Amino acid sequence: MSFSNEWEERYRENTHLSVWPWSDLVSFVMRHARPDRKNFRVLELGCGAGANIPFFEWLGVDYHAIEGSRSIVERLKTTHPELEERIVAGDFTRGIPFPGRFDLVVDRAALTHNDTASIEMALEVVRNKLSSGGKYVGIDWFSTDYCEFEKGTTGGDENTRTGYREGSFSGVGKVHFSDREHLLHLFRNFEIMALEHKIIRREIPQDGWHFASWNLVARKI
Ligand SMILES: C[S@@+](CC[C@H](N)C(=O)[O-])C[C@H]1O[C@@H](n2cnc3c(N)ncnc32)[C@H](O)[C@@H]1O
Protein backbone atom coordinates (compact mmCIF):
# COMPACT_ATOMS: atom_id res chain seq x y z
CA MET A 1 0.00 0.00 0.00
CA SER A 2 1.32 3.41 -0.97
CA PHE A 3 -1.21 5.69 0.72
CA SER A 4 0.23 7.26 3.91
CA ASN A 5 -2.29 6.57 6.65
CA GLU A 6 -1.15 9.73 8.42
CA TRP A 7 -3.58 11.60 6.11
CA GLU A 8 -6.49 9.77 7.72
CA GLU A 9 -5.30 10.97 11.13
CA ARG A 10 -4.83 14.57 9.92
CA TYR A 11 -8.39 14.70 8.54
CA ARG A 12 -9.85 13.10 11.67
CA GLU A 13 -8.29 15.86 13.74
CA ASN A 14 -9.57 18.49 11.27
CA THR A 15 -6.23 19.69 10.00
CA HIS A 16 -5.26 20.14 6.32
CA LEU A 17 -8.82 21.14 5.43
CA SER A 18 -8.25 23.31 2.34
CA VAL A 19 -11.64 24.38 1.05
CA TRP A 20 -10.97 27.03 -1.63
CA PRO A 21 -10.14 25.99 -5.18
CA TRP A 22 -6.40 26.22 -5.82
CA SER A 23 -5.77 29.15 -8.18
CA ASP A 24 -3.00 27.40 -10.15
CA LEU A 25 -5.33 24.48 -10.79
CA VAL A 26 -8.07 26.82 -12.02
CA SER A 27 -5.73 28.69 -14.36
CA PHE A 28 -4.00 25.55 -15.70
CA VAL A 29 -7.29 23.83 -16.47
CA MET A 30 -8.70 26.95 -18.15
CA ARG A 31 -5.51 27.58 -20.15
CA HIS A 32 -4.62 24.04 -21.15
CA ALA A 33 -7.57 21.70 -20.70
CA ARG A 34 -10.77 23.75 -20.79
CA PRO A 35 -13.78 21.42 -21.04
CA ASP A 36 -15.27 21.85 -24.48
CA ARG A 37 -18.33 19.60 -24.51
CA LYS A 38 -21.13 18.10 -22.47
CA ASN A 39 -20.29 14.97 -20.49
CA PHE A 40 -16.61 15.96 -20.23
CA ARG A 41 -15.26 13.46 -17.71
CA VAL A 42 -12.85 14.63 -15.01
CA LEU A 43 -11.06 12.50 -12.42
CA GLU A 44 -9.39 14.13 -9.42
CA LEU A 45 -6.65 12.16 -7.64
CA GLY A 46 -6.53 12.74 -3.87
CA CYS A 47 -9.27 15.37 -3.65
CA GLY A 48 -8.71 15.84 0.11
CA ALA A 49 -11.39 18.05 1.66
CA GLY A 50 -12.78 18.84 -1.79
CA ALA A 51 -11.25 22.28 -2.37
CA ASN A 52 -11.50 21.94 -6.15
CA ILE A 53 -15.02 20.49 -6.34
CA PRO A 54 -16.86 23.87 -6.56
CA PHE A 55 -14.73 24.83 -9.58
CA PHE A 56 -15.57 21.60 -11.45
CA GLU A 57 -19.24 21.83 -10.50
CA TRP A 58 -19.27 25.39 -11.83
CA LEU A 59 -17.76 24.08 -15.09
CA GLY A 60 -20.57 21.53 -15.27
CA VAL A 61 -18.28 18.57 -15.95
CA ASP A 62 -18.84 14.94 -14.98
CA TYR A 63 -16.58 14.99 -11.90
CA HIS A 64 -15.18 11.90 -10.14
CA ALA A 65 -12.58 11.59 -7.39
CA ILE A 66 -10.55 8.96 -5.59
CA GLU A 67 -9.13 9.76 -2.16
CA GLY A 68 -7.22 7.58 0.31
CA SER A 69 -8.79 8.88 3.52
CA ARG A 70 -12.10 7.17 4.32
CA SER A 71 -13.18 9.76 6.84
CA ILE A 72 -12.79 12.73 4.50
CA VAL A 73 -14.63 10.80 1.77
CA GLU A 74 -17.54 10.17 4.15
CA ARG A 75 -17.60 13.86 4.99
CA LEU A 76 -17.58 14.84 1.31
CA LYS A 77 -20.54 12.56 0.64
CA THR A 78 -22.46 14.52 3.26
CA THR A 79 -21.50 17.94 1.95
CA HIS A 80 -21.84 16.87 -1.71
CA PRO A 81 -24.66 14.28 -1.81
CA GLU A 82 -24.89 14.79 -5.58
CA LEU A 83 -21.43 13.12 -5.83
CA GLU A 84 -22.26 10.16 -3.57
CA GLU A 85 -21.45 7.64 -6.33
CA ARG A 86 -18.60 9.64 -7.80
CA ILE A 87 -16.22 10.02 -4.85
CA VAL A 88 -14.61 6.82 -3.63
CA ALA A 89 -12.12 5.88 -0.96
CA GLY A 90 -9.15 4.06 -2.47
CA ASP A 91 -5.46 4.08 -3.30
CA PHE A 92 -4.96 5.54 -6.78
CA THR A 93 -1.61 3.77 -7.19
CA ARG A 94 -3.58 0.49 -7.25
CA GLY A 95 -6.23 1.35 -9.78
CA ILE A 96 -9.29 3.54 -10.42
CA PRO A 97 -12.61 1.92 -9.47
CA PHE A 98 -14.69 3.81 -12.04
CA PRO A 99 -15.59 2.33 -15.40
CA GLY A 100 -14.66 4.11 -18.62
CA ARG A 101 -12.02 6.69 -19.50
CA PHE A 102 -11.54 10.32 -18.58
CA ASP A 103 -10.89 13.42 -20.68
CA LEU A 104 -8.94 15.06 -17.88
CA VAL A 105 -7.14 13.85 -14.76
CA VAL A 106 -6.23 16.50 -12.18
CA ASP A 107 -3.88 16.17 -9.26
CA ARG A 108 -3.04 18.97 -6.87
CA ALA A 109 -0.27 17.79 -4.54
CA ALA A 110 -1.54 14.21 -4.28
CA LEU A 111 0.82 12.02 -6.35
CA THR A 112 3.69 13.96 -4.77
CA HIS A 113 2.77 12.44 -1.39
CA ASN A 114 3.90 8.99 -2.57
CA ASP A 115 7.30 7.44 -3.21
CA THR A 116 8.89 7.14 -6.65
CA ALA A 117 7.90 3.51 -7.33
CA SER A 118 4.26 4.22 -6.38
CA ILE A 119 4.18 7.35 -8.53
CA GLU A 120 5.41 5.28 -11.49
CA MET A 121 2.55 2.84 -10.88
CA ALA A 122 0.00 5.64 -10.51
CA LEU A 123 1.07 7.29 -13.77
CA GLU A 124 0.58 4.01 -15.60
CA VAL A 125 -2.89 3.73 -14.02
CA VAL A 126 -3.64 7.31 -15.10
CA ARG A 127 -2.44 6.68 -18.66
CA ASN A 128 -4.74 3.69 -18.96
CA LYS A 129 -7.73 5.69 -17.69
CA LEU A 130 -7.22 8.66 -20.02
CA SER A 131 -9.05 8.79 -23.31
CA SER A 132 -6.97 9.17 -26.45
CA GLY A 133 -5.43 12.68 -26.36
CA GLY A 134 -6.72 13.13 -22.78
CA LYS A 135 -4.72 15.36 -20.44
CA TYR A 136 -3.22 15.16 -16.99
CA VAL A 137 -2.85 18.45 -15.09
CA GLY A 138 -0.48 18.23 -12.13
CA ILE A 139 -0.25 21.14 -9.72
CA ASP A 140 2.33 21.55 -6.94
CA TRP A 141 4.71 18.70 -7.48
CA PHE A 142 7.21 19.68 -4.79
CA SER A 143 10.59 20.70 -6.15
CA THR A 144 14.04 19.71 -4.92
CA ASP A 145 14.60 23.49 -4.70
CA TYR A 146 12.01 23.72 -1.89
CA CYS A 147 13.84 24.33 1.41
CA GLU A 148 11.90 21.42 2.98
CA PHE A 149 13.73 18.93 0.73
CA GLU A 150 16.83 19.18 2.92
CA LYS A 151 14.88 18.75 6.17
CA GLY A 152 13.14 15.37 6.02
CA THR A 153 14.66 11.94 6.53
CA THR A 154 14.98 9.59 3.59
CA GLY A 155 11.73 7.91 2.60
CA GLY A 156 13.10 4.91 0.72
CA ASP A 157 14.42 6.53 -2.48
CA GLU A 158 16.48 9.62 -3.25
CA ASN A 159 13.47 11.80 -4.15
CA THR A 160 11.24 10.85 -1.21
CA ARG A 161 11.42 12.28 2.31
CA THR A 162 9.48 11.62 5.49
CA GLY A 163 9.71 12.20 9.27
CA TYR A 164 8.91 15.93 9.32
CA ARG A 165 8.33 17.22 12.84
CA GLU A 166 7.27 20.76 11.99
CA GLY A 167 5.89 22.78 9.09
CA SER A 168 3.21 21.80 6.58
CA PHE A 169 4.72 18.32 6.05
CA SER A 170 4.59 17.41 9.72
CA GLY A 171 2.64 14.18 10.22
CA VAL A 172 1.70 13.53 6.59
CA GLY A 173 4.06 10.64 5.83
CA LYS A 174 5.81 10.58 2.46
CA VAL A 175 6.73 13.70 0.49
CA HIS A 176 8.26 13.41 -2.95
CA PHE A 177 10.50 16.08 -4.51
CA SER A 178 11.33 16.42 -8.21
CA ASP A 179 13.79 18.22 -10.41
CA ARG A 180 13.25 18.75 -14.13
CA GLU A 181 15.08 15.59 -15.20
CA HIS A 182 13.17 13.44 -12.74
CA LEU A 183 9.82 14.76 -13.98
CA LEU A 184 10.79 14.23 -17.63
CA HIS A 185 11.69 10.67 -16.73
CA LEU A 186 8.46 10.03 -14.80
CA PHE A 187 6.36 11.38 -17.69
CA ARG A 188 8.38 9.67 -20.45
CA ASN A 189 5.25 7.88 -21.70
CA PHE A 190 3.31 11.15 -22.07
CA GLU A 191 3.84 14.26 -24.15
CA ILE A 192 4.61 17.12 -21.75
CA MET A 193 2.81 20.18 -23.16
CA ALA A 194 3.67 22.64 -20.40
CA LEU A 195 6.05 22.62 -17.46
CA GLU A 196 6.46 25.55 -15.07
CA HIS A 197 8.68 25.92 -12.02
CA LYS A 198 7.20 28.17 -9.34
CA ILE A 199 9.58 29.65 -6.79
CA ILE A 200 8.52 31.85 -3.87
CA ARG A 201 11.28 33.42 -1.81
CA ARG A 202 10.34 35.00 1.52
CA GLU A 203 11.87 38.46 1.87
CA ILE A 204 10.44 39.57 5.24
CA PRO A 205 11.36 38.14 7.64
CA GLN A 206 14.58 37.11 5.92
CA ASP A 207 14.80 33.61 7.32
CA GLY A 208 15.90 31.79 4.17
CA TRP A 209 12.48 30.17 3.63
CA HIS A 210 11.72 29.44 0.00
CA PHE A 211 9.01 27.37 -1.63
CA ALA A 212 9.34 25.70 -5.02
CA SER A 213 7.01 23.42 -6.95
CA TRP A 214 6.24 22.30 -10.49
CA ASN A 215 3.01 22.62 -12.46
CA LEU A 216 2.62 20.58 -15.59
CA VAL A 217 0.30 19.43 -18.34
CA ALA A 218 0.90 16.05 -19.97
CA ARG A 219 -1.05 14.48 -22.81
CA LYS A 220 -1.63 10.80 -23.40
CA ILE A 221 0.20 9.63 -26.50
C1 LIG B 1 -1.82 17.75 0.07
S1 LIG B 1 -3.34 16.89 0.09
C2 LIG B 1 -4.14 17.67 -1.29
C3 LIG B 1 -5.64 17.60 -1.23
C4 LIG B 1 -6.34 18.29 -2.41
N1 LIG B 1 -5.85 17.77 -3.68
C5 LIG B 1 -6.12 19.78 -2.37
O1 LIG B 1 -5.42 20.30 -3.23
O2 LIG B 1 -6.68 20.46 -1.50
C6 LIG B 1 -2.92 15.28 -0.58
C7 LIG B 1 -4.09 14.34 -0.68
O3 LIG B 1 -3.74 13.21 -1.46
C8 LIG B 1 -4.26 12.05 -0.82
N2 LIG B 1 -3.43 10.90 -1.24
C9 LIG B 1 -2.07 10.82 -1.18
N3 LIG B 1 -1.65 9.63 -1.66
C10 LIG B 1 -2.76 8.94 -2.02
C11 LIG B 1 -2.96 7.65 -2.60
N4 LIG B 1 -1.94 6.83 -2.89
N5 LIG B 1 -4.25 7.27 -2.90
C12 LIG B 1 -5.31 8.11 -2.61
N6 LIG B 1 -5.16 9.34 -2.06
C13 LIG B 1 -3.89 9.76 -1.77
C14 LIG B 1 -4.18 12.36 0.66
O4 LIG B 1 -5.05 11.57 1.43
C15 LIG B 1 -4.54 13.83 0.68
O5 LIG B 1 -5.92 14.02 0.82
Side-chain angles (χ1 to χ4, degrees), residues 3 7 11 22 46-48 67-68 90-93 108-110 113-114:
F3 174 66
W7 281 107
Y11 289 127
W22 290 86
C47 62
E67 161 56 51
D91 183 339
F92 53 61
T93 67
R108 195 251 136 209
H113 279 288
N114 293 267

Side-chain angles (χ1 to χ4, degrees), residues 125-141:
V125 167
V126 165
R127 218 166 65 87
N128 288 330
K129 289 305 278 183
L130 275 173
S131 54
S132 172
K135 290 175 187 164
Y136 163 92
V137 169
I139 302 297
D140 283 335
W141 279 70

Side-chain angles (χ1 to χ4, degrees), residues 25 29 42 52-61 63 104 106:
L25 184 137
V29 168
V42 175
N52 301 311
I53 293 176
F55 168 58
F56 289 112
E57 292 206 315
W58 177 81
L59 283 173
V61 299
Y63 175 90
L104 172 64
V106 293

Side-chain angles (χ1 to χ4, degrees), residues 1-8 11 16-22 25 44-52 66-70 72 88-95 106-114 118 122 139-140 142 168-169 172 174:
M1 161 149 155
S2 173
F3 174 66
S4 304
N5 227 15
E6 287 89 339
W7 281 107
E8 178 64 30
Y11 289 127
H16 286 271
L17 291 180
S18 308
V19 290
W20 293 100
W22 290 86
L25 184 137
E44 179 163 19
L45 305 175
C47 62
N52 301 311
I66 176 167
E67 161 56 51
S69 162
R70 288 188 182 281
I72 202 70
V88 293
D91 183 339
F92 53 61
T93 67
R94 299 294 174 96
V106 293
D107 158 22
R108 195 251 136 209
L111 278 187
T112 195
H113 279 288
N114 293 267
S118 307
I139 302 297
D140 283 335
F142 302 118
S168 58
F169 294 152
V172 299
K174 284 168 264 182

Side-chain angles (χ1 to χ4, degrees), residues 127-187:
R127 218 166 65 87
N128 288 330
K129 289 305 278 183
L130 275 173
S131 54
S132 172
K135 290 175 187 164
Y136 163 92
V137 169
I139 302 297
D140 283 335
W141 279 70
F142 302 118
S143 163
T144 49
D145 287 345
Y146 189 2
C147 58
E148 296 290 338
F149 180 51
E150 308 297 338
K151 299 182 187 161
T153 56
T154 180
D157 63 72
E158 61 181 293
N159 291 82
T160 308
R161 298 286 182 269
T162 190
Y164 291 89
R165 287 167 186 268
E166 54 187 37
S168 58
F169 294 152
S170 156
V172 299
K174 284 168 264 182
V175 191
H176 182 268
F177 296 85
S178 300
D179 60 17
R180 185 179 190 276
E181 291 317 309
H182 185 62
L183 279 178
L184 295 186
H185 178 72
L186 287 175
F187 283 88

